[in-house]
Amino acid sequence: MHYGLGIDAGGTYTDAVILRGSDGAIVDAKKSFTTYPDIQQGIKNVLDSLNQKYLRDVNLVSVSTTLSTNALLENTGRPVGLILVGEQATDKEYPAESIVFVSGGHDTNGEEEYPLDIEAVRDYVETSKSWVSAYAVSAYFGNRNPEHELAVKSIIHSITDLPVVCGHELSQELGVYERAVTAALNAQLIPITYQFVNGVVSDIKRRGINARLLMLKCDGSVYNIEDALEKPIETIFSGPAASILGASYLAKLDTCAVIDVGGTSTDVSAIKNGIPQISSEGCMVGGWKTRVKAMKMETSALGGDSHVWVKDKKLYIGPRRVIPLCVGAVMYPDFLNRLKSAKMVLRKDTSENYQQTKFVFRTEYEAGGLREKEKEILKLVGNEPVSVTEITDMTDARELMLTNKTLDSLINKRLIQSIGFTPTDALHVLGEYEQWNKEASEIGAFYLSKYANMGKYEFCRHVKDLFAKNMAHNLMSFLIPIISNSAIDEVLSGNYPVRFKTDIPVVLLGGPVSAYVNELKSLIDSDVHVPEFASVGNAVGALVGKSVKRVEILIKPASLLNPDNDFLVFSSEGRKRFETYSDAVDYAIKMGNSLVLDYEKRCGIIKEDTIVNVSTQTMSPENWSHPPLETRITVVGVGDPLMAIRGIYNNNNS
């Protein structure tokens, strides 16, 4: 018998499910903590906990992750050097530690406009190679002719073996700024994605499992795991993509909205008639507009492990993720005593970091290029949790603001990890979720409730209410995008004799989501579902994605002075020239088919099981008697990896 293994690595948990190939039934599911910086240990832990009898017969492995999304949301991506060639926006921000502008670039037909400044590129790489983790390259009209981007890539590789990402490899669409942003974000994620992918591949091989390895993309399709190393930007929001597919599969609903509550974020998406909604424009991530096609979603940096803190009697949740107090007390035997003896913080000094319930400990990430204050603080933090009040007591009290900024920097660099009060702790206090140490949660609630002028249980109910309202707000903002955020909040406030109603079911995924069902129903009139295996829905979703490859090709006459001869073909493979229009079209279709079938083959789908559709759109002025002024050919191939393993099972038994 054959099985599929789905793995989802989130900011807090790594989940795994085993699905039987013959009927698609889930035969085992487990959760384990995601481990930092050694992601592989968390993967090993969750796979060790699965039924090894089933695991041995796995022949398809598909994975998804929110690690990429979280890195961009929390601004913890790796440092990148961005090389911009030709005419670029100099008055805008870019997601890169360092940027250099060099001359070069092409025109709309892919003809060289200015020569590439090779020496400027070489000088920049020589001075930056010691501290960046990857390079991103984006050239003016590089999507029409990538030769300058490829030349820069070659120069970089002649100097260093660091990864290089080119804008044309990621998008063929216009938008020079967005393409540069996409390339820079992609470069940030290469080290993170490599670590995750390498962790999965190493563990699977170590176990002697001979399986096809796939990864879910943010549009809900899957691709070969080696391709994920080259284009990790397509894995951003693969976690939310997995959630909508998993929710639909588990709830047996072809049409529904999904609220996926993770440790770091809450994601809302929807599926209609079995087809996820895809954004017609590039997705937004961490405030950056990209050229990556992804499922439509509403993402909030508010999860079950978001930090709950109080300032000026007001309660805040997030945006940072911390380890809940209840979990910290299980991880560290002496933590409960440290929490009980935590020094009180003056109300006027409270901030997100400076809380009586906030602790930090040293991670295993290597420190490099630190400022003096960062070195000083890092020396005070060991492998056991230390309260932020202890740290400030050991530093100059007059530098409290500087200490806060330094802690922020060390957290962003992942050199220290935080423990604090979270919505998960609030549920422990209320008795609605009791997986970890309840006493630690109660102590934390007692401390913070005093700063908010509330009782312990009142404080926790307030946390829960705020969290449920955020879920409801995100759902309504996603379903009714024309309504302003302030108007949504007004309706959810309960001050008016009206409330929202949904005409489609709402499926909840995540750990303790069942605790929020009644609150959500009180805010919105909805048919709310919490299916079995809701806590591992993303791992299920990773397995049920289709292998979809979309190739877009543009054909234009090289000159309007001679529109009947000499045509240019633009694609991810570069620019090609043909004498006749028919030759250009034939080449485009053949190339598109070849790219699609090669992609499907890498996903384990044979040619006979791949559905290929070719569509053509043309544009010409009125009364135009020549070949089209513009032709867009789209070749789409679709395969089903899950059906492939069922086919293997059925063939073996026929």
Side-chain angles (χ1 to χ4, degrees):
M1 189 170 293
H2 296 271
Y3 299 89
L5 170 64
I7 303 172
D8 176 71
T12 304
Y13 290 104
T14 296
D15 303 335
V17 299
I18 296 179
L19 190 147
R20 189 164 53 217
S22 59
D23 58 5
I26 297 170
V27 296
D28 199 9
K30 293 293 188 296
K31 299 175 75 72
S32 179
F33 281 119
T34 299
T35 52
Y36 299 99
D38 183 12
I39 302 297
Q40 188 170 350
Q41 185 60 47
I43 296 169
K44 178 182 181 301
N45 292 343
V46 75
L47 295 187
D48 282 345
S49 66
L50 290 169
N51 188 315
Q52 301 301 299
K53 180 182 69 174
Y54 297 137
L55 196 59
R56 283 192 295 270
D57 289 332
V58 162
N59 69 327
L60 172 67
V61 178
S62 190
V63 300
S64 65
T65 180
T66 58
L67 295 176
S68 299
T69 313
N70 295 345
L72 298 181
L73 288 174
E74 297 180 290
N75 193 30
T76 55
R78 305 299 169 80
V80 165
L82 176 60
I83 301 174
L84 298 176
V85 181
E87 188 178 338
Q88 303 274 352
T90 58
D91 58 341
K92 293 185 177 182
E93 293 186 3
Y94 293 88
E97 293 285 318
S98 175
I99 306 168
V100 64
F101 296 86
V102 302
S103 64
H106 293 76
D107 62 18
T108 56
N109 276 351
E111 300 294 338
E112 185 176 76
E113 201 163 39
Y114 299 100
L116 176 67
D117 190 341
I118 293 174
E119 288 306 312
V121 173
R122 189 176 298 278
D123 290 344
Y124 175 72
V125 176
E126 289 286 1
T127 58
S128 60
K129 65 181 181 180
S130 63
W131 58 270
V132 302
S133 61
Y135 287 96
V137 184
S138 186
Y140 191 63
F141 277 114
N143 58 324
R144 294 291 167 85
N145 191 333
E147 64 179 10
H148 281 180
E149 291 185 358
L150 293 173
V152 172
K153 187 174 188 176
S154 178
I155 293 168
I156 295 172
H157 281 160
S158 72
I159 298 172
T160 175
D161 59 357
L162 290 172
V164 183
V165 176
C166 294
H168 80 276
E169 298 169 336
L170 304 171
S171 173
Q172 286 297 298
E173 295 188 32
L174 297 178
V176 60
Y177 173 68
E178 290 83 0
R179 203 164 56 251
V181 166
T182 305
L185 292 175
N186 195 75
Q188 278 191 37
L189 298 176
I190 284 179
I192 296 168
T193 305
Y194 179 82
Q195 184 184 28
F196 171 63
V197 169
N198 186 58
V200 173
V201 173
S202 298
D203 197 276
I204 293 298
K205 288 183 176 178
R206 181 182 62 81
R207 296 171 190 272
I209 298 174
N210 183 23
R212 177 75 58 178
L213 298 173
L214 305 177
M215 191 165 189
L216 193 71
K217 297 197 292 185
C218 50
D219 62 359
S221 64
V222 295
Y223 60 160
N224 184 282
I225 208 160
E226 283 81 9
D227 294 336
L229 294 175
E230 295 183 11
K231 299 180 180 180
I233 189 70
E234 295 185 353
T235 70
I236 61 172
F237 298 129
S238 72
S243 71
I244 183 67
L245 297 176
S248 176
Y249 187 89
L250 292 173
K252 296 178 174 58
L253 294 169
D254 286 338
T255 300
C256 62
V258 178
I259 304 178
D260 179 18
V261 179
T264 304
S265 62
T266 295
D267 306 311
V268 179
S269 52
I271 190 168
K272 184 176 182 180
N273 298 325
I275 302 173
Q277 296 182 28
I278 305 295
S279 174
S280 58
E281 299 181 354
C283 65
M284 292 282 294
V285 55
W288 300 103
K289 177 68 179 295
T290 75
R291 284 298 179 194
V292 178
K293 294 290 178 63
M295 290 189 180
K296 286 183 179 179
M297 66 191 71
E298 187 84 16
T299 300
S300 164
L302 199 67
D305 294 343
S306 292
H307 185 208
V308 175
W309 50 289
V310 181
K311 182 175 177 60
D312 298 329
K313 301 180 184 179
K314 186 177 179 181
L315 190 156
Y316 296 87
I317 307 179
R320 278 207 177 98
R321 180 184 66 86
V322 298
I323 294 174
L325 298 176
C326 55
V327 176
V330 174
M331 294 172 60
Y332 299 96
D334 193 47
F335 177 72
L336 200 57
N337 292 328
R338 288 175 177 265
L339 179 62
K340 290 177 180 178
S341 59
K343 180 182 175 181
M344 189 173 182
V345 176
L346 296 177
R347 286 182 187 270
K348 67 180 182 65
D349 293 332
T350 55
S351 65
E352 183 179 0
N353 280 327
Y354 202 46
Q355 299 279 307
Q356 192 173 354
T357 52
K358 184 73 175 283
F359 290 75
V360 295
F361 61 90
R362 185 78 164 83
T363 70
E364 295 181 9
Y365 283 96
E366 294 184 9
L370 299 180
R371 297 187 296 270
E372 286 304 313
K373 189 64 177 179
E374 291 175 322
K375 293 178 182 177
E376 176 190 344
I377 297 297
L378 203 56
K379 286 181 181 178
L380 302 176
V381 181
N383 295 327
E384 292 289 322
V386 56
S387 71
V388 291
T389 55
E390 290 179 75
I391 293 174
T392 52
D393 283 348
M394 290 184 281
T395 59
D396 192 333
R398 293 171 298 179
E399 295 185 346
L400 183 58
M401 186 175 295
L402 178 58
T403 299
N404 270 323
K405 290 182 178 179
T406 304
L407 286 171
D408 281 336
S409 177
L410 292 173
I411 291 170
N412 287 342
K413 293 176 179 177
R414 295 179 178 261
L415 296 176
I416 61 175
Q417 173 65 290
S418 304
I419 301 175
F421 195 85
T422 68
T424 299
D425 287 299
L427 294 182
H428 275 73
V429 175
L430 296 173
E432 298 181 24
Y433 186 59
E434 298 183 349
Q435 185 173 353
W436 309 104
N437 189 303
K438 183 177 181 178
E439 185 181 359
S441 299
E442 290 184 327
I443 293 171
F446 174 77
Y447 288 159
L448 292 180
S449 64
K450 301 302 180 186
Y451 291 94
N453 284 355
M454 296 180 181
K456 181 174 69 175
Y457 295 104
E458 179 189 8
F459 176 82
C460 291
R461 283 193 293 270
H462 187 41
V463 171
K464 186 183 177 187
D465 288 342
L466 283 179
F467 198 88
K469 280 186 179 178
N470 181 75
M471 293 169 64
H473 178 105
N474 286 356
L475 178 64
M476 290 300 101
S477 176
F478 177 82
L479 294 177
I480 324 175
I482 61 172
I483 298 182
S484 69
N485 288 333
S486 59
I488 293 173
D489 288 336
E490 284 294 330
V491 175
L492 294 176
S493 69
N495 296 328
Y496 302 91
V498 294
R499 64 177 178 149
F500 292 111
K501 181 182 185 302
T502 66
D503 290 335
I504 60 174
V506 177
V507 181
L508 303 187
L509 293 185
V513 287
S514 57
Y516 294 101
V517 170
N518 291 335
E519 280 76 13
L520 193 60
K521 284 184 174 180
S522 70
L523 294 166
I524 300 172
D525 184 3
S526 294
D527 179 17
V528 181
H529 296 249
V530 181
E532 187 181 7
F533 299 110
S535 64
V536 292
N538 285 20
V540 175
L543 261 181
V544 298
K546 303 289 193 299
S547 52
V548 181
K549 177 63 175 177
R550 181 186 182 93
V551 178
E552 297 180 345
I553 306 160
L554 173 66
I555 302 174
K556 293 177 62 178
S559 171
L560 293 180
L561 298 177
N562 184 21
D564 294 308
N565 297 288
D566 195 10
F567 293 88
L568 299 174
V569 179
F570 304 102
S571 72
S572 60
E573 299 298 288
R575 188 184 73 154
K576 294 285 185 180
R577 205 166 198 140
F578 295 89
E579 183 175 344
T580 68
Y581 177 72
S582 61
D583 286 345
V585 171
D586 287 345
Y587 168 79
I589 293 175
K590 287 178 182 178
M591 179 187 63
N593 271 277
S594 177
L595 291 175
V596 160
L597 293 176
D598 180 63
Y599 181 94
E600 295 295 337
K601 183 178 179 181
R602 296 200 304 276
C603 292
I605 311 298
I606 61 176
K607 179 179 179 180
E608 290 73 18
D609 290 338
T610 301
I611 301 172
V612 181
N613 289 309
V614 179
S615 61
T616 302
Q617 289 183 317
T618 61
M619 184 184 75
S620 298
E622 192 174 350
N623 299 321
W624 183 260
S625 59
H626 310 281
L629 198 61
E630 182 177 292
T631 302
R632 291 186 179 274
I633 294 176
T634 303
V635 183
V636 180
V638 181
D640 190 339
L642 193 58
M643 288 300 293
I645 71 166
R646 294 182 189 179
I648 290 172
Y649 173 76
N650 291 332
N651 289 339
N652 287 348
N653 286 273
S654 60

